[in-house]
Structures are given as structure tokens and as C-alpha cells.
């Protein structure tokens, strides 16, 4: 680990470690957490749904004063900086130092499992188990979301087919279909071909399920009733008069709710060290909120002293929405933020290297070079500043890799300390919770600091002002440049009564700016708002600032081809 | 019931009855059935998966000599004749007379739930519960099948996108995508539009999930290993040399198997009277086998004295495949067949009435008329003959409706007795198992008769001969007329080594002939074979004899619009 030495034994794969895990029965995990048995619906021996009831709300969640910690990161490289691994590590570390902690995480999507990476459940000795369940169907929430989403799509096309009584403008339908699969061929399709009985031809497409508005609805709903109301409000497009057409207008909301009645209940799993983990919802981090569910956090806070949750991508992305959208909706206030940083991330922010997903790191990047790390300091400094702008203290968590050098860790430590932030190294992937006690202690301390959530904008600000405030106050842009059609659209959303919604900026996660090639902490730039869209059910307006892929593709040699069962019936290749 | 009187109280809906059911915990059902706890994976309190193990095979299934009963029917009206309701009724009736019986049924698809009918779990007091689970996601098997199917589709288009090394002929790809939704707009689509990075444009489409070959594979596999081998053999289309391209060639089979590792385990539920019911797989009855899984039958026969299974549509359809395909693959031999008949079915076979789905029956059809029933006798006689051609004795089961008259039941009884068949009335829907004891006794008697399964054709017959034998020996056609291209294709399948596969005739279920307008027992007709297709993974060749819809549509006023939750949070509208 230190001095860049190679481990003498080859490090086992995530799947191998996970398969050897000795899990506790999930009823024991629940019991330990104080979740009563009548609220538990087991799915096999090691997974259960925790049923919501009338006690699941913000008031109860806040009653005992549990601490609420969000894990975020610097601007990641395309490889990711181990934010999930750090979240799992920290939860394990908390238990190691005798604290009662629960982890709340997004559920990984199925599609990417067969793409490049194979699986996503943390890493090494800091994983969520059973990892095969987590990475495959789990309890079917994503499938239920897919079904509910596609039922609405089928009802739209059925409505067109049977005479279009609502006078829907077929050129202005924003509701596409979804599939939990990396399938680029479905991005742009024409449906309704064939004969008269085969529907009305029109252009549309599929997104991956995490990009579904239904996914965000599941994540932001505070109860099943709230979910039903949100479904009814979904705007699928506009009629020929330019008025919004809703899921309720199509009579879809009741049936969609029926499909989602199990999906609203969080899933209880455990870490390799038996820490309870509530895995629930998985909205996209670039076009949506990128945060796990509100109700899982309610359940966690009701039953633990510390709840650790993860927000997607860097602090400018998932954490900004965590504060401005999720916490605003949930009524919860975080006590601390963990800011994950890696040696390779800061080296990459030096601007000296180019990292390509699916390819090994440039060889020079693996050489000892604290000065390269320091050259990328601006990014870490900016993210510390972003977290603080929300009234919350960051704890910088250095996610140690076997290829790191102590001098490089020291460099990060210096940068963080200069910025007045707490900092700790963790080795959760290689060592499990035992390698995370320093970080856990720092987080416990940070939670005792005064914190008071400050939003970047007020509900009463105009939509354009909200976007501008995020761009300038969070990203550090000089301002925003809104395309004329988008400006008009924002006005229209306000006329329609959506002016008090929060905003989500759909931009690249590879830079704090909207240009993925700008590393560090870019200044002197303007956020270009190309287009704005309404997610009326989820409850926000989102601004498209760049090219957003909502349906990934598969690699030339997809991970799927390397998976299967050996002659003894053992699964291989999932990670 | 008798004399056509209306019940004094309005009969409660299926959902209302099901919601009031007092279910036994599924672990108790399993224990009673002798399924050990370590083979049980509960999904909530009332549903469990029964895990296959090395004891799940034909040999063990036959060891204790349990009786194996298939429920089939006369040619149904478009409304269906209550075959599932009769199967559930019979299982409950068996328990009423002190017999240890298990039911094995197909899982209903999700799509049609939102179409016309709302739900499918039997009816009235003969239902499978929890019916909400059964009619919605259950344990996610259909979703897993959808994912596995669509992963293969994504891998095909990905292969084309990355250079088409296998030289696949894009005009000759038979593998489409699937969705468990009634969505006519997806029948014929163009994918791969957009830019260069968005795939290769080509025409394709979606079928509903029950039409997936993966669904048939799950139903016909005798073990998880067998399933894996079948997945590898799937032929997705042909290369430019006309050679088949398989799922294995695309490296898809391992990942597909990973997605299906839970789906291969049957689901244990119960009837309203606590009879164990194994619900597993649901292949289409017109283009596929229309029978529940082989492994569920193995598990049932291993643990009960009587196993009752249902085959889709009339005896010419599901039962013919049950005998010629499912039993041939499973190595099991049935002891008796139950032939469901209704007053309205025989009246419709008189040719005097026209029944339209979604509309009430013609008023004249509800008047007392044993002569109309007798006018439809030929259909029942022919189905009795079909069942006997397989070496199995039929028990005619009259599924009594409240609108029936005793004189009409007597007429059916006469027809059956004249044909030398056992016959019994059952009132399972209105009365539960107590109304089915006569039928249960008759079935027990029939099982003690000598039976010896006779196949319609031999493995060694040519494919064309197999089709011809089914047409003439089962349907009563004069012969078959194979289109020249289909003839050539059959030859090609034989050259490729698929000549020993059984055949499935994809024809209408509304007539024993291939013309849905021909009622009764049509003679003097020829079966037109338009096209033949290969299901190499499932293990059969199928002959398309008519227009087959593999993706249903929604009605103008779909059932989905009438569903939801009331102000007290109670679900309504599912049935």
C-alpha cells in the first residue's frame, strides 16, 4: 500500500470477496437496527424491504437528533474516485469505533453491469452484499419503475391511436420509453409503423431507466401518497393549444401507482461488516438529482445515530442537488459532508494527463509526484468552498490506492489543511472498516460542529435567477447565457405555475464548468443554457447545458461477454 | 345458480374476495407440502421461491407415483372458458375430498392486466392469492426474462455497430425485443436512427414478454444447467452465408444465465383454500407452448399425490404441445386430462351466435336452450377424441355459470356420456372447493384408469411429416399445404441438424382449424403453412398458419384508467 509496493498476493476480485462473505440474516440486521419485524418483508435470507408506515416522515426522522452525513467528491476522473466505496468504508469505520450508523445508497442500474465495469457495490473489503442481488434485479424496483414509465408511454400512443381526444401535439411529446439496458440503438427510433392497427407513426426513443422521471419521483417522494400525487402531475407533453398534458389526464397515475406500491419501500442489505445499508432508487446524476431516496433517509435517521448517504459525482453535481433539491423537499438538514479525493483525481486536475475509461492509466501518472497532486489543488479547494457555501463543514477523505505514495497523501493533506478542512486517509477497500477509523473519528467530530443548511436560491426566485445563482455561487461561472427559446420556455413554466420549483443543471460531471475539458476550478466562463425541460412530477425544472447521453451504449468488447457460470455452477465475471 | 336465478347479493369482485382472504404464511404451506425450509426463499410472507437442487429431476418426480393431470378445454370463446378457474377449483376440490394436491400454473403477464381484463388468477372463490402479487411483478421472473431477452438484442445491435465481425445479415435477424406491456406502437419500429454513434438503422420490433423464446426456455428447461445450454443454442438470425448465428457466438449466454438464475426457480403461492400452487413461466399459447414449467411439475410431483397443471387454450393447442413437446422433453406421463366446457362455449359452437371480447354476450344466448348446446356438440366430441388420441382419458368438467340452466348442463352431460367420457359439473367460482367434489372424485377415478402417453409423431419423422401428422391426426385436417419458401426452410433446418425437433403449430385458438370463423369440428380443410421458424434454444420448429399477433394493443378505454388507490389507500380496479 505505502511506498507503492505491490501486494504480494494478487488482490481478489470484488465478486470473489463478496462470495466469501459471511452475511448475517437480514432479520438480524433489522433487529439490531431496531426495525420491527412487522415492517420487514424479506426477499430471500439477505435482502428485505422495509415497509413505510405513518411513522415514516421528517418529524420522526429528526426526533432523536441523529446525524446526517452526505458523501460527495471532487470532480471525478472518468474512472470514478471510489465515492460508493468510501461511503461503505465510512459506515464500516463508524461501527468499528462503536457508533451506530446506517448507510443509504442508490441502487445501481442493471444496464451498465453488462457494459464496461461489471458491477457497482463499493469495492474490495468495503462492499454491499449480497453483491449479486444488488447488481442484478435486487427486489425489482427498477423493473417496476420501467413498467410504470412504459405503461404511461403505451397509454400515450394508445390515446393517439384511438383518436387523440386530448388533442396532444405529437411533435411535442417529451415522454419517451425506458429500459434498464445499455442499448444505443434505442436512442432514436420510429414507432407505430406497419398497418393501420399498429398505431400512429412518430419519432421517439428510449432512455436508460435511471433517467426516468419516475425514478426521481420514487427518490423524492416522502410517502406513498406523495408518490401518487407526483405521478398524477407528470407532464408528458403539450396539446395543440400549448397546454400541458398530464399522466392524470391520460388516466395513468392510478395504474402506475399500483405498479410502484412495493418500489416505494427501501431495501435493506448489509456491508461486508454487517452495517445496515438501505439501498433505494437510483436517479441519474447528470440530468436528474443523483441521490438515493428521501424515505430511506427517514427510516435510517429514525433508527440510527448516524446516517451516511452518497450524492452522485462531484459536490457541484449530486451534492448541490442534495442540498438544494433533496433536503429542500425532505425537510432534513445535514450535519457534515465527506469530500472524497484521490491522488489520481488531483493529478488529473493538474491538466497534465488524459484518462480514458476502459484503458489503463497513463504510466507517468503512477510515478511518485506530490507536485502533480499540488498542481490539481484548485479543484479540491473549490469543492471545499462549494460544500461550505451550503453551511456545512467538509471532511476531506483521501481514498488511498495501492499505487499511491505517502508523499502524495501528504500533499493532499496540506491542501485540505490550508483550506481549514478536516482531512483523513482511509484504506477501506484494502482493509475494510479497520482502515477507516481515522476518517470515522473526523466525521464524528465534524458532526458536532455547528451546521445550518443554506440554500443557494429561494423558492421565490425566478427560474432563470435560480439557474444563475447555481452557476455563479456554486460553479463560479461569470454568468449564464440562456438561448432565446429556453428563455421563453422558462417564462411559460412560470405562467403555468411551476415558477417555485427548484432547478437541476444538466451538465458534464467531468468539470465544475460545462466544458468537460476544463480541469481544476475553471473561471471566466459562462454557463450556456441550451434548452430547459420540466419534470413536474419529480418537481423541478432542468436546464440542459451540454450534450447529455440518457442512453449509454455497450463497448466493443462488453463485460457481458466475460460472464457466466463455470463447470461447477459458480458465477464469474460480475466484477 | 340453478334455474338461472340471480344471486340475491351482488357477487363481490375477484379483488374484493382476494383482499379478504386469510392466507397461511407461505412457510407453513411449504412445510405442509414437505418442501424443506432450506429450499425456500421467501419473497414477503405469502410468496416464496422453491430453489431447485440436484433432486429436481424426472426420476425423482416419478419415484412415488404421483398422479399427473392436465387441464385443457374445448375450443374457447374469445372470453375464455374458465380453465384457470377450473384448475384452481379442482385443486381445492381435491383437498376437500382429502387428497394431497399441488397446482402448477403459468404466471400471468403484466401487459394484459392494463388492457381489457384487469387480472388473471382464477375467479371468485377459486383464486390464487396474493392476487395482487400474482398479477403484478410477483418475484420478477418476467422482468428477468425481459432483461435477458433484451440484453441479447442489445448485443446484436452492438455487434453491428462495432463492425459486424460475424457478418450477420441485417435483413435476416429474427431476434426482436420484448416488453411486458400491451403496446401496439412497438410492433414495428426502426432503431438506430440519429448520428453515427447511435447505432445501425434497421427495422425490427417488440413482442410481449410471453412471446419471448427465453420464456419458453425457462418453461422447458429441466435444470439451470439445461437452461444455460439452451440459451447458448438460441439462433438470432443468419450470417451472409446463410449459417445460423447463435447467442453463444455473441457471447451473450453467460450473462443471460446470470440474469435468469432466480427466474428458473418456481414460485410457491396458495389458493384461497390454502392449496399449494407453483406458478412458473408463461409462454404464449398461440406461437409457443402455452404451458407452465417442467421444473415446477417436477417439484410438485416430488411432494404431492396429485399434480394439476393447465395447458393454454383448447386441447388442439396447449394440450397438444403439453403431450408432444412438454412431456416429451420432461419425460413425464400424464394420468388424466380434464376437459373444461361451458354452456356458452357449446352454444357458440352451434354457429348461431357471435361473441365479441369486451362486449356483453348476445342476449339470446342467455335464454334456456339445451338444443343450442347440443348443436355445438361436435366441438366437445372432437376434443374428447383429441385427448384420447394421446392415450389419456378425459374427464369433462362443466364450469357452471350463474346464467346456466340445469337442462343445458344435462345436455352437455349427455354428449360427454355418449362419447363414453366421465363428466362432472363444478361450481368452484361461486362455491370454492366445496362445489368441486364431484369433479375431484371423477378425476381421482380417471387417474386409476390405464393411461399410456402416445405421441402424434416420432422424433425421426421429417419436420413436414410432423406438421402433417398434427394437422391430420389431431386437428382433423385433410392435409397441409406448405408454401414453397417454407418447404425450403424446413429442408434447411434439417440440413442444419434441427430435424429431430418437435413442432409447434402457430394457429388461431378460436377454431380447431386455422380459420377462426369455423366453429364446431371443421372437416374438409387444409392447414396452410405460410412460414416456418426455428426456436433452437427452446427446442422446436414452429409453423405459422395465420396472422399471429405477438404484441397486443390496449383498448380505447383501457383497464389501466380504472385503477388506483382510494382515499384510505386501498387498491381498486385490479379485477
Amino acid at each position: 500500500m505505502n511506498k507503492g509496493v505491490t501486494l504480494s498476493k494478487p488482490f481478489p476480485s470484488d465478486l470473489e470477496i463478496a462470495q466469501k462473505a459471511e452475511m448475517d440474516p437480514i432479520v438480524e440486521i433489522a433487529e439490531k437496527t431496531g426495525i420491527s419485524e412487522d415492517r420487514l418483508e424479506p426477499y430471500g435470507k439477505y435482502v428485505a424491504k422495509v415497509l413505510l408506515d405513518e411513522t415514516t416522515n421528517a418529524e420522526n426522522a429528526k426526533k432523536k437528533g441523529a446525524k446526517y452525513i452526505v458523501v460527495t467528491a471532487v470532480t471525478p476522473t472518468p474512472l470514478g474516485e471510489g465515492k460508493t466505496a468510501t461511503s461503505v468504508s465510512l459506515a464500516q469505520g463508524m461501527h468499528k469505533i462503536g457508533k451506530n450508523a446506517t448507510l443509504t445508497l442508490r441502487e445501481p442500474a442493471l444496464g451498465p453491469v453488462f457494459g464496461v465495469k461489471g458491477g457497482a457495490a463499493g469495492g474490495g473489503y468495503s462492499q454491499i452484499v449480497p453483491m449479486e442481488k444488488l447488481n442484478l434485479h435486487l427486489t425489482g424496483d427498477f423493473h417496476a419503475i420501467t413498467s410504470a414509465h412504459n405503461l404511461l408511454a403505451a397509454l400515450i400512443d394508445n390515446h393517439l391511436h384511438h383518436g387523440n381526444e386530448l388533442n396532444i401535439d405529437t411533435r411535442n411529446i417529451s415522454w419517451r420509453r425506458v429500459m434498464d439496458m445499455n442499448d444505443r440503438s434505442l436512442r432514436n427510433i420510429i414507432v407505430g409503423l406497419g398497418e393501420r392497427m399498429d398505431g400512429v407513426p412518430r419519432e421517439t426513443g428510449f432512455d436508460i431507466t435511471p433517467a426516468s422521471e419516475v425514478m426521481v419521483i420514487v427518490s423524492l417522494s416522502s410517502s406513498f401518497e406523495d408518490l401518487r400525487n407526483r405521478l398524477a402531475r407528470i407532464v408528458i407533453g403539450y396539446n395543440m393549444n400549448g397546454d400541458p398534458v398530464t399522466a392524470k389526464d391520460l388516466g395513468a397515475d392510478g395504474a402506475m401507482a399500483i405498479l410502484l406500491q412495493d418500489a416505494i419501500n427501501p431495501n435493506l442489505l448489509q456491508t461486508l461488516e454487517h452495517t445496515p445499508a438501505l439501498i433505494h432508487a437510483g436517479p441519474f446524476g447528470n440530468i436528474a438529482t443523483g441521490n438515493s431516496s428521501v424515505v430511506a433517509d427517514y427510516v435510517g435517521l429514525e433508527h440510527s445515530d448516524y446516517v451516511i448517504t452518497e450524492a452522485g459525482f462531484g459536490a457541484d453535481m449530486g451534492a448541490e442537488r442534495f442540498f438544494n433539491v433533496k433536503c429542500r423537499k425532505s425537510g432534513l438538514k445535514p450535519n457534515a459532508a465527506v469530500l472524497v479525493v484521490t491522488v489520481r483525481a488531483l493529478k488529473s486536475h493538474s491538466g497534465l494527463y488524459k484518462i480514458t475509461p476502459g484503458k489503463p492509466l497513463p504510466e507517468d501518472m503512477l510515478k511518485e509526484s506530490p507536485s502533480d497532486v499540488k498542481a490539481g489543488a484548485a479543484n479540491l479547494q473549490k469543492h471545499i468552498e462549494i460544500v461550505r457555501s451550503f453551511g456545512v463543514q467538509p471532511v476531506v477523505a483521501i481514498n488511498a490506492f495501492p499505487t499511491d505514495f505517502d508523499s502524495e497523501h501528504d500533499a493532499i493533506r496540506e491542501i485540505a489543511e490550508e483550506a481549514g478542512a478536516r482531512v483523513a486517509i482511509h484504506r477501506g477497500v484494502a482493509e475494510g472498516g479497520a482502515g477507516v477509523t481515522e476518517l470515522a473519528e473526523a466525521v464524528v467530530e465534524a458532526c458536532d460542529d455547528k451546521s445550518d443548511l443554506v440554500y443557494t436560491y429561494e423558492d421565490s426566485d425566478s427560474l432563470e435567477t435560480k439557474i444563475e445563482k447555481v452557476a455563479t455561487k456554486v460553479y463560479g461561472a461569470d454568468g449564464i447565457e440562456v438561448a432565446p427559446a429556453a428563455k421563453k420556455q422558462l417564462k411559460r413554466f412560470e405562467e403555468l405555475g411551476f415558477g417555485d420549483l427548484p432547478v437541476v443543471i444538466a451538465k458534464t460531471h467531468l468539470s465544475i464548468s460545462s466544458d468537460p475539458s476544463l480541469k481544476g476550478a475553471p473561471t471566466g466562463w459562462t454557463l450556456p443554457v441550451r434548452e430547459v425541460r420540466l419534470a413536474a412530477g419529480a418537481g423541478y425544472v432542468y436546464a440542459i447545458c451540454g450534450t447529455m447521453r440518457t442512453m449509454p451504449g455497450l463497448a466493443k468488447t462488453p463485460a457481458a461477454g466475460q460472464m457466466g457460470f463455470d463447470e461447477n455452477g459458480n458465477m464469474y465475471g460480475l466484477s
Side-chain angles (χ1 to χ4, degrees), chain A residues 441-453:
Chain A
E441 299 281 8
V443 169
V444 168
E445 266 182 50
C447 284
D448 290 331
D449 284 357
K450 200 180 130 44
S451 63
D452 199 9
L453 178 57

Side-chain angles (χ1 to χ4, degrees), chain A residues 354-369:
Chain A
K354 194 174 178 295
I355 298 180
T356 313
K359 292 202 177 149
L361 288 178
E363 215 167 289
D364 280 353
M365 247 183 111
L366 297 173
K367 290 184 183 153
E368 179 167 10
S369 177

Side-chain angles (χ1 to χ4, degrees), chain A residues 35-314:
Chain A
I35 297 168
S36 66
E37 218 193 306
D38 57 310
R39 287 186 62 182
L40 210 68
E41 191 162 87
Y43 281 62
K45 288 188 180 67
Y46 302 109
V47 175
K49 280 210 167 271
V50 181
L51 307 180
L52 304 187
D53 64 15
E54 60 291 345
T55 69
T56 317
N57 54 49
E59 200 186 332
N60 264 312
K62 288 189 278 194
K63 201 175 275 173
K64 64 178 235 179
K67 306 296 185 181
Y68 190 34
I69 301 137
V70 62
V71 177
T72 178
V74 298
T75 302
T77 69
L79 307 177
E81 302 322 301
K83 201 150 36 42
T84 305
T86 299
S87 303
V88 180
S89 297
L90 176 57
Q92 295 187 148
M94 292 295 251
H95 274 244
K96 272 277 181 280
I97 63 165
K99 301 294 179 188
N100 168 2
T102 293
L103 189 59
T104 63
L105 292 181
R106 282 174 294 167
E107 181 180 339
L110 193 52
V113 167
F114 303 108
V116 176
K117 57 182 184 170
Y125 291 98
S126 287
Q127 288 189 63
I128 306 294
V129 281
M131 83 88 98
E132 304 93 314
K133 297 268 177 194
L134 179 70
N135 281 307
L136 296 171
H137 312 289
L138 197 55
T139 59
D141 293 348
F142 280 27
H143 292 314
I145 288 164
T146 302
S147 292
H149 186 115
N150 291 338
L151 174 61
L152 178 51
L155 287 167
I156 295 167
D157 277 304
N158 190 55
H159 186 86
L160 300 179
H161 177 73
H162 286 295
N164 195 10
E165 236 171 80
L166 290 171
N167 205 18
I168 299 171
D169 182 354
T170 54
R171 301 154 307 177
N172 203 351
I173 297 174
S174 50
W175 197 258
R176 293 155 52 93
R177 287 173 177 79
V178 296
M179 189 186 280
D180 194 1
M181 191 61 67
N182 286 16
D183 193 346
R184 72 169 66 72
S185 289
L186 294 178
R187 284 175 192 154
N188 304 290
I189 68 173
I190 295 175
V191 297
L193 299 173
E195 297 176 30
R196 197 172 189 287
M197 285 310 296
D198 299 326
V200 177
R202 66 182 187 90
E203 209 175 326
T204 178
F206 279 73
D207 298 324
I208 191 166
T209 299
S212 166
E213 185 176 343
V214 179
M215 181 67 85
V216 195
I217 290 176
V218 169
S219 77
L220 286 176
S221 293
S222 57
S223 67
F224 186 51
E225 200 189 339
D226 185 28
L227 176 133
R228 299 205 305 268
N229 294 332
R230 286 170 185 271
L231 292 173
R233 291 198 296 264
I234 289 172
V235 169
I236 61 99
Y238 298 85
N239 67 17
M240 294 303 283
N241 302 324
D243 297 323
V245 177
T246 66
K248 192 183 172 65
D249 294 336
L250 286 155
D253 53 319
M256 291 172 79
I258 283 181
L259 285 166
L260 294 169
Q261 71 167 346
D262 295 326
I264 189 61
N265 299 311
N267 306 295
L268 182 65
L269 286 82
Q270 63 191 290
T271 70
L272 285 172
E273 298 178 5
H274 318 301
T275 320
L278 292 164
I279 310 293
H280 199 212
F284 244 32
N286 45 6
I287 61 146
T289 47
N291 279 277
S292 60
S293 82
V294 165
V295 290
D297 290 356
Y298 285 167
V299 171
L301 289 164
E302 201 189 328
H303 293 96
S304 316
D305 298 325
Y306 293 86
V307 167
I308 297 151
T309 191
E310 181 195 349
F313 299 137

